[in-house]
Amino acid sequence: MNYFTSDMHFFHERLLGENDFAPRLFANVDEMNQQLITSWNAVVKETDHVYHLGDLAMHPQYEKANADILELVSQLQGTIHLIKGNHDSRAFFRYLEKNDPGLSDGSPKFYFYDVGAIVKFDHQQYYLTHYPMLLGPNDTIRNLHGHIHHYSVPIENVVNVGVDAPKRDLLKEKLPFGTPLSEKQIKEIYEAKRS
């Protein structure tokens, strides 16, 4: 199964509390980090693939804290496809690649994409990017993105999959904060945006 998410921002203390950009109502970053891990692992199995569309972490010590970030990310189930966001550095991706803990079958845990990736499911092609793409009227291509947190693009074929995206409210079943979206849930959001 494929899942999609973005903008986890592990360790990003400035996002805590009430705000218009990315409200995260946690007492501290440890609580937020644990919720992100718990929500992820509640749905993702080791054989699943998760596409994280940028901005995995924002540690106050930046690259000096790569080991701290790796410790958290290693707790996440599944194969993780990391698309570079504006707060992800190539040096950080190189660190993860060099220290990849791997999966139990010996395959890599992490895969890296500098700009984006393309996946197909449900007879549709999806461009996976950090920034939203304005595709215009198009019945064959959809864009899954992050970056804009608690905002959304009012175009039906552009879906914000970020952990704090407002379009998550279109799902019939409310998800715990940090839950990656399944292919079925992406379709549900898309259909709700169309109506």
Side-chain angles (χ1 to χ4, degrees), residues 17-79:
E18 288 282 356
N19 63 74
D20 291 334
F21 184 62
R24 298 193 179 188
L25 306 179
F26 298 97
N28 54 57
V29 293
D30 291 335
E31 187 179 297
M32 178 184 72
N33 291 347
Q34 188 55 56
Q35 177 63 47
L36 290 166
I37 293 167
T38 299
S39 294
W40 178 299
N41 289 338
V43 296
V44 177
K45 308 299 178 240
E46 185 176 0
T47 55
D48 293 331
H49 290 254
V50 181
Y51 292 84
H52 186 279
L53 310 185
D55 293 357
L56 184 64
M58 278 200 63
H59 199 289
Q61 294 179 319
Y62 294 93
E63 290 174 3
K64 292 180 184 174
N66 284 348
D68 293 343
I69 298 167
L70 176 62
E71 182 182 338
L72 290 185
V73 178
S74 295
Q75 295 176 49
L76 300 173
Q77 293 278 16
T79 300

Side-chain angles (χ1 to χ4, degrees), residues 120-190:
K120 293 181 180 181
F121 64 87
D122 193 35
H123 309 289
Q124 292 291 320
Q125 185 166 282
Y126 290 83
Y127 288 180
L128 311 180
T129 58
H130 181 58
Y131 301 101
M133 292 178 65
L134 303 180
L135 301 170
N138 194 318
D139 291 333
T140 59
I141 300 171
R142 297 178 186 160
N143 174 228
L144 304 182
H145 69 88
H147 183 63
I148 56 177
H149 290 266
H150 200 60
Y151 296 95
S152 64
V153 176
I155 300 171
E156 64 189 37
N157 62 352
V158 179
V159 177
N160 184 353
V161 299
V163 295
D164 37 26
K167 294 303 181 197
R168 287 173 171 260
D169 294 340
L170 295 173
L171 293 170
K172 293 175 187 134
E173 180 183 331
K174 182 159 176 58
L175 300 174
F177 178 80
T179 305
L181 298 169
S182 69
E183 293 176 1
K184 181 180 176 184
Q185 289 162 331
I186 295 293
K187 182 177 180 180
E188 185 180 337
I189 291 171
Y190 170 76

